[in-house]
Amino acid sequence: MAPLPAAALPLFPLQAVLFPGGLLSLMVFEARYLDLMSYCMRERRPFGVVALHKGSEVRAHKVQIEFESTGVLAELLDVDSAQAGILNVRCRGKSRFTLESSRQRDDGLWLAEPTALPDDAVVRPHPTQRDTVQGLANAIATLDALGASPFLQPYEYENAGWVANRWCELLPIPLGAKQKLMELSDPSVRLQLVADFLRGKGVVK
């Protein structure tokens, strides 16, 4: 892949919402994304993950796609090539961004001019959210015991935004709802919405 302009952010539209601090695992096999992963490794640059709301992750002839205007930077953690032509990639969600504009290259790769959004302020969960925090800790302990935790350490149970984000990744809620939660600028409000949802489902008291 040729060098990209400094202001250009390559995009990876997915049927998923990446949250800051989240772990994203990808199986990459399309040429445009194989080239992108090589480029990001070589240049130590992130790419942008945006959620699809129309179209497919895999390029198809004459199929238009539409994606959200707010996404999250993905930082490569490790890349494994266990099979020719396929990469298994793990990434960490970093900062959020909004898209000023986007364009698609001839090879199908999307590029955008992003504007960075502020990171969540680090605030402690409210005492009334204690059960929500403990419920996440219990879920993570169970997953850790099974060797199946989908989260990166360290675990930040005293950080309302981190707790909210990890619950958002676990909960079976619609993609559009996850997107709206990710976009919220107030981590305390995001955690309260999660807590209300969990109470409504009888998951926590």
Side-chain angles (χ1 to χ4, degrees), residues 13-169:
L14 291 172
Q15 292 283 358
V17 176
L18 178 61
F19 283 81
L23 175 63
L24 174 66
S25 297
L26 296 170
M27 179 180 289
V28 179
F29 54 88
E30 286 193 78
R32 55 179 170 166
Y33 295 135
L34 291 171
D35 289 345
L36 173 60
M37 295 302 117
S38 297
Y39 177 80
C40 289
M41 283 192 294
R42 184 174 65 252
E43 301 295 327
R44 298 181 180 275
R45 287 185 60 173
F47 59 95
V49 173
V50 286
L52 282 165
H53 55 78
K54 180 180 179 182
S56 170
E57 295 176 351
V58 179
R59 192 179 187 189
H61 183 59
K62 293 185 178 180
V63 175
Q64 291 187 332
I65 72 168
E66 295 178 3
F67 44 77
E68 299 288 348
S69 60
T70 301
V72 171
L73 294 177
E75 172 192 41
L76 284 177
L77 295 177
D78 50 68
V79 178
D80 176 51
S81 180
Q83 184 177 345
I86 297 178
L87 293 178
N88 293 312
V89 178
R90 293 200 324 148
C91 314
R92 184 203 318 270
K94 301 294 285 184
S95 299
R96 293 171 298 180
F97 61 84
T98 58
L99 301 180
E100 297 301 316
S101 61
S102 61
R103 64 188 184 278
Q104 191 173 29
R105 300 195 318 188
D106 290 342
D107 65 357
L109 183 68
W110 284 91
L111 300 177
E113 282 68 48
T115 297
L117 294 174
D119 292 334
D120 282 344
V122 178
V123 295
R124 294 172 64 90
H126 192 272
T128 59
Q129 299 164 341
R130 183 177 61 252
D131 289 343
T132 300
V133 177
Q134 188 59 52
L136 179 65
N138 294 343
I140 289 177
T142 298
L143 292 168
D144 279 346
L146 296 172
S149 177
F151 304 130
L152 294 166
Q153 296 191 30
Y155 300 148
E156 302 177 33
Y157 296 116
E158 297 302 311
N159 182 341
W162 187 90
V163 173
N165 290 350
R166 303 296 77 81
W167 265 124
C168 288
E169 292 163 349

